[in-house]
Amino acid sequence: MNPVRFAFLTVVFAIASCAQPAPAPVAEVAPASTYKDAEYTVQAILYHQFGSEYRALCYQAYNLATERLLAKVKANPKSKLAIITDLDETVVDNSYYNAWLVSQGSGYNPETWKEWTAQRKATIVPGSKAFFDLADSLGVTIFYVSNRGVDEYDATLANLQALGLPQLDSTHFYLKTTTSGKEERRQAIYAQGYEVALYLGDNLNDFAKDFEKQNNERRHELTDSLKGKFGAEYIVLPNAIYGEWEVALYNYNHELSPAQKDSIRKSVLKAY
Ligand SMILES: [Mg+2]
């Protein structure tokens, strides 16, 4: 080969070799500062948004609620009947906020939550509108008892109005003022002479104060002791994305870092 041509090809080859992509670095455990807080919720959000099983569970809950309500109205024609229902992940779906948290690599934050609710983009939980419309047509009073803050009232009202839910005026809303515990608000409803036919929620705190601030072992015991009420008086909606069950894992410690919470989640798993 012509020596000049040989040298030229050698240089081309050398340049081509340098252009090869470097081997992928070995995956490393992210240090605490870069740990993506919401990453672990991806599977639950996917189930919520894409699992037809999730939808079926919602229909199952509302079908059961319908059956129970019809029976209670029939059995108590003269009673002042009411329903106490939670809003988030019971009547409306906010999984879009959780998906956004994943995209941002950040955890729940009251400020970003309020930015989400101000958008009024929550969608209806399958089966819920038909159920509340039926309750309304039967003359049953609906109380929306939610831990959305009173400062979220206008946006929440507009969101629910757009979804066509009934009985939307301020007398039917009990939003959070000072405490996330709902017992005081339930008592205020009982004090008006209502007989509560059904409670609906995705969090056991939506049903009874006994569950509040308890560890998961105690929550299990209480759930077992109340087993006859589920599907009868308490209608539970599925929510694997977040809830008191998760906060209880952290012993209600809100000071833990995302990495510490991740460590707890993995350490408590029951493996064989
Ligand atoms: Mg809820």
Side-chain angles (χ1 to χ4, degrees), residues 86 88-90 202 206:
D86 171 53
D88 295 318
E89 279 46 75
T90 297
D202 65 300
D206 295 328

Side-chain angles (χ1 to χ4, degrees), residues 2 17 67 127 145 152 156 160 170 190 197-198 216 219 252 269:
N2 176 327
S17 299
E67 203 175 291
V145 181
E152 293 170 274
T156 300
L160 299 183
S170 60
Y190 305 149
L198 289 172
N216 279 322
R219 294 179 92 246
Y252 300 92
L269 283 175

Side-chain angles (χ1 to χ4, degrees), residues 3-244:
V4 172
R5 182 175 167 77
F6 175 75
F8 172 75
L9 286 175
T10 304
V11 169
V12 167
F13 181 75
I15 291 170
S17 299
C18 289
Q20 292 298 312
V26 176
E28 289 177 7
V29 174
S33 59
T34 61
Y35 178 82
K36 292 200 177 354
D37 194 12
E39 196 66 26
Y40 73 97
T41 64
V42 166
Q43 179 83 341
I45 298 168
L46 290 171
Y47 177 71
H48 200 96
Q49 297 187 338
F50 295 94
S52 298
E53 290 78 2
Y54 163 78
R55 295 181 76 75
L57 281 170
C58 295
Y59 285 126
Q60 182 170 280
Y62 277 109
N63 286 343
L64 193 49
T66 299
E67 203 175 291
R68 296 300 188 208
L69 186 65
L70 288 169
K72 291 189 182 194
V73 168
K74 193 174 177 187
N76 307 282
K78 293 184 179 163
S79 296
K80 195 175 164 184
L81 287 180
I83 290 169
I84 290 182
T85 184
D86 171 53
L87 281 177
D88 295 318
E89 279 46 75
T90 297
V91 179
V92 291
D93 178 354
N94 300 280
S95 60
Y96 319 95
Y97 170 69
N98 299 93
W100 179 83
L101 288 177
V102 172
S103 76
Q104 301 299 303
S106 56
Y108 170 85
N109 173 308
E111 301 306 315
T112 58
W113 167 259
K114 285 180 186 179
E115 286 169 16
W116 153 253
T117 60
Q119 302 264 326
R120 311 163 184 194
K121 287 182 177 172
T123 55
I124 198 83
V125 166
S128 65
K129 177 170 159 48
F131 170 75
F132 290 109
D133 282 345
L134 173 73
D136 185 48
S137 72
L138 293 170
V140 176
T141 303
I142 302 161
F143 289 107
Y144 299 104
V145 181
S146 167
N147 280 343
R148 287 191 177 201
V150 289
D151 54 342
E152 293 170 274
Y153 175 74
D154 290 344
T156 300
L157 184 67
N159 197 160
L160 299 183
Q161 279 171 338
L163 294 172
L165 287 156
Q167 300 186 22
L168 299 177
D169 66 66
S170 60
T171 63
H172 294 264
F173 280 86
Y174 284 80
L175 301 185
K176 182 172 146 184
T177 51
T178 53
T179 174
S180 56
K182 294 184 171 177
E183 185 62 18
E184 266 182 38
R185 287 173 272 171
R186 286 191 289 263
Q187 291 295 338
I189 292 165
Y190 305 149
Q192 297 169 54
Y194 285 101
E195 184 183 331
V196 178
L198 289 172
Y199 299 80
L200 293 98
D202 65 300
N203 184 324
L204 294 176
N205 291 6
D206 295 328
F207 305 104
K209 71 174 188 307
D210 296 354
F211 289 101
E212 291 175 17
K213 304 292 180 202
Q214 301 299 321
N215 63 34
N216 279 322
E217 188 182 5
R218 181 65 187 139
R219 294 179 92 246
H220 271 29
E221 287 170 4
L222 287 165
T223 304
D224 292 347
S225 73
L226 296 169
K227 64 184 178 187
K229 284 184 177 273
F230 297 106
E233 188 179 347
Y234 300 163
I235 304 294
V236 188
L237 276 296
N239 178 10
I241 304 175
Y242 66 90
E244 218 66 15

Side-chain angles (χ1 to χ4, degrees), residues 29 35 40 249 260-270:
V29 174
Y35 178 82
Y40 73 97
L249 292 176
Q260 285 173 314
K261 289 192 278 189
D262 182 60
S263 171
I264 290 171
R265 286 193 296 271
K266 286 168 183 161
S267 70
V268 298
L269 283 175
K270 298 175 185 174

